[in-house]
Amino acid sequence: MTATLASPIEQSLQALCRAIAADPAVLTAREQAEAFLADEDAVSLYRDVMNLGRSLEQRHRSGEAIATDEVGAFEVMQEKADANDLIRAFADAQETLQNVATTVNAYVTKTLEKGRVPAAAEMSSGSCGEGCGCH
């Protein structure tokens, strides 16, 4: 059995993943997510708010009337979730991790487009490139 050497891209990806995993913001985000997931009450409340919100939105989009008391019940549940420290920390953690993923993806995509490492100015232009429809 022979060991296969990783390609330069795979080696660089592994180095990037090690850097991401060691990043203090990522570590904090993971700790926040794990603390949230360990609390059954917070997870249950979060799930209930998400499910009810999704249900109300679908009903609204289909033209179904939504009773005022249903909206009120949702708002009370949402306020309770908003006041929960674990749920707020989880939302912050999700945003942090999503921002990392989006940034990595944007850099890789721009590198493949340009055939070179993009300059920082190219990444903060607010545009995704020609033909994307955002400008």
Side-chain angles (χ1 to χ4, degrees):
M1 201 159 134
T2 59
T4 303
L5 295 177
S7 74
I9 292 174
E10 289 169 331
Q11 291 173 358
S12 295
L13 285 172
Q14 289 174 0
L16 173 61
C17 290
R18 281 191 296 278
I20 291 169
D23 183 82
V26 170
L27 290 169
T28 298
R30 289 189 42 78
E31 289 170 5
Q32 290 171 322
E34 289 171 11
F36 163 75
L37 293 170
D39 188 298
E40 291 178 26
D41 291 336
V43 171
S44 179
L45 176 58
Y46 179 81
R47 186 178 299 124
D48 290 348
V49 168
M50 296 304 290
N51 288 338
L52 182 55
R54 196 173 305 122
S55 173
L56 292 173
E57 177 65 24
Q58 287 173 348
R59 288 173 51 202
H60 174 72
R61 286 181 186 223
S62 69
E64 185 178 334
I66 299 171
T68 304
D69 61 330
E70 290 179 287
V71 173
F74 173 75
E75 289 173 346
V76 167
M77 191 184 295
Q78 181 69 57
E79 287 172 8
K80 187 175 179 183
D82 290 345
N84 185 299
D85 291 338
L86 290 172
I87 293 174
R88 281 197 324 269
F90 177 67
D92 291 345
Q94 284 184 307
E95 183 177 352
T96 297
L97 297 175
Q98 184 59 49
N99 286 342
V100 170
T102 299
T103 300
V104 169
N105 187 49
Y107 267 90
V108 170
T109 299
K110 188 67 78 172
T111 298
L112 292 172
E113 285 175 8
K114 300 279 186 182
R116 60 175 171 72
V117 177
E122 293 174 298
M123 299 309 300
S124 62
S125 67
S127 172
C128 348
E130 293 179 29
C132 70
C134 73
H135 42 118

